[in-house]
């Protein structure tokens, strides 16, 4: 995805400014394409094999799936290696119990109800809200959040429709 390529490029550029000889390895878990158990197992085996002889000083993860993968396999794959995360939507402090000194990062937070209230104030005749979403782990979590935390507060004002997993042409 373009945005992950941009994140990777940005991370590399900042690290290289600080340490000219830094070696960066990038692995894409690519759960936007496939996210079944076989894929996770193969990715686990790849990382285990590839980094068995490479000493890592840190792991940077982007998005919820990579974050969850690190937390699940940190002890076997990255013992004692700190992790910095970004783009994590569903962060919970309880996930870090016993790892407080190893994990830090930036939570991706957004205020859907506040944004929708503003939109409806600006467009008071709005009767329908279309949610453009995908069926990724993050997309499904977002849909659940919207259905539980947003729809009940606005259901008397607007109706919600989900456009899910459409290509750009279909959209």
């Amino acid at each position: 995805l373009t945005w992950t390529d941009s994140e990777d490029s940005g991370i590399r550029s900042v690290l290289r400014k600080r340490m000219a000889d830094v070696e960066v390895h990038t692995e894409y878990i690519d759960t936007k394409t496939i996210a079944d158990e076989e894929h996770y197992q193969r990715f686990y085996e790849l990382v285990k094999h590839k980094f068995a002889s490479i000493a890592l000083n840190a792991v940077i993860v982007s998005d919820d799936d990579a974050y969850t993968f690190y937390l699940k396999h940190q002890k076997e794959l990255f013992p004692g290696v700190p992790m910095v995360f970004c783009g994590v939507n569903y962060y919970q402090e309880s996930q870090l119990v016993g790892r407080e000194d190893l994990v830090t990062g930036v939570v991706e937070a957004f205020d859907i109800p506040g944004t929708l209230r503003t939109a409806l104030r600006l467009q008071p005749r709005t009767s329908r809200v279309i949610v453009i979403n995908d069926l990724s782990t993050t997309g499904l979590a977002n849909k659940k959040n919207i259905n539980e935390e947003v729809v009940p507060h606005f259901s008397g004002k607007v109706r919600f429709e989900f456009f899910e997993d459409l290509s750009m042409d279909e959209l």
Side-chain angles (χ1 to χ4, degrees):
L1 298 172
T2 303
W3 66 271
T4 53
D5 292 340
S6 296
E7 283 181 325
D8 187 58
S9 178
I11 290 166
R12 289 171 180 273
S13 72
V14 170
L15 290 174
R16 288 212 171 102
K17 283 180 189 173
R18 303 216 186 323
M19 304 174 346
D21 62 342
V22 69
E23 188 173 341
V24 178
H25 302 271
T26 301
E27 298 299 326
Y28 292 98
I29 195 168
D30 198 20
T31 56
K32 301 293 187 247
T33 303
I34 187 168
D36 62 20
E37 284 305 313
E38 180 181 352
H39 178 70
Y40 280 107
Q41 185 59 39
R42 287 179 180 210
F43 185 75
Y44 171 88
E45 295 298 332
L46 170 72
V47 171
K48 181 178 179 181
H49 179 72
K50 182 173 182 176
F51 294 104
S53 61
I54 299 172
L56 299 175
N57 295 319
V59 173
I60 301 171
V61 301
S62 173
D63 213 346
D64 291 82
D65 290 332
Y67 173 73
T68 302
F69 181 86
Y70 172 91
L71 293 178
K72 182 176 181 181
H73 300 293
Q74 179 259 327
K75 289 179 180 154
E76 314 94 71
L77 297 178
F78 315 109
V81 177
M83 183 255 283
V84 178
F85 65 85
C86 59
V88 171
N89 294 292
Y90 299 99
Y91 167 83
Q92 296 174 6
E93 283 191 35
S94 62
Q95 296 169 315
L96 304 185
V97 172
R99 299 181 174 105
E100 295 88 352
D101 294 339
L102 287 176
V103 179
T104 190
V106 178
V107 176
E108 183 177 312
F110 46 90
D111 179 10
I112 297 172
T115 301
L116 188 52
R117 271 192 291 281
T118 301
L120 293 175
R121 206 170 323 128
L122 294 170
Q123 299 292 328
R125 295 188 324 197
T126 300
S127 62
R128 179 172 69 156
V129 173
I130 297 174
V131 179
I132 300 169
N133 196 29
D134 62 27
L135 298 177
S136 66
T137 302
T138 302
L140 293 172
N142 286 340
K143 181 177 183 177
K144 182 178 187 287
N145 183 41
I146 290 167
N147 278 323
E148 291 175 0
E149 304 295 328
V150 179
V151 172
H153 298 289
F154 295 92
S155 61
K157 299 174 182 127
V158 295
R159 87 182 139 79
F160 289 81
E161 281 184 56
F162 286 82
F163 287 11
E164 296 182 306
D165 221 25
L166 301 174
S167 70
M168 291 306 283
D169 287 341
E170 291 170 319
L171 188 59

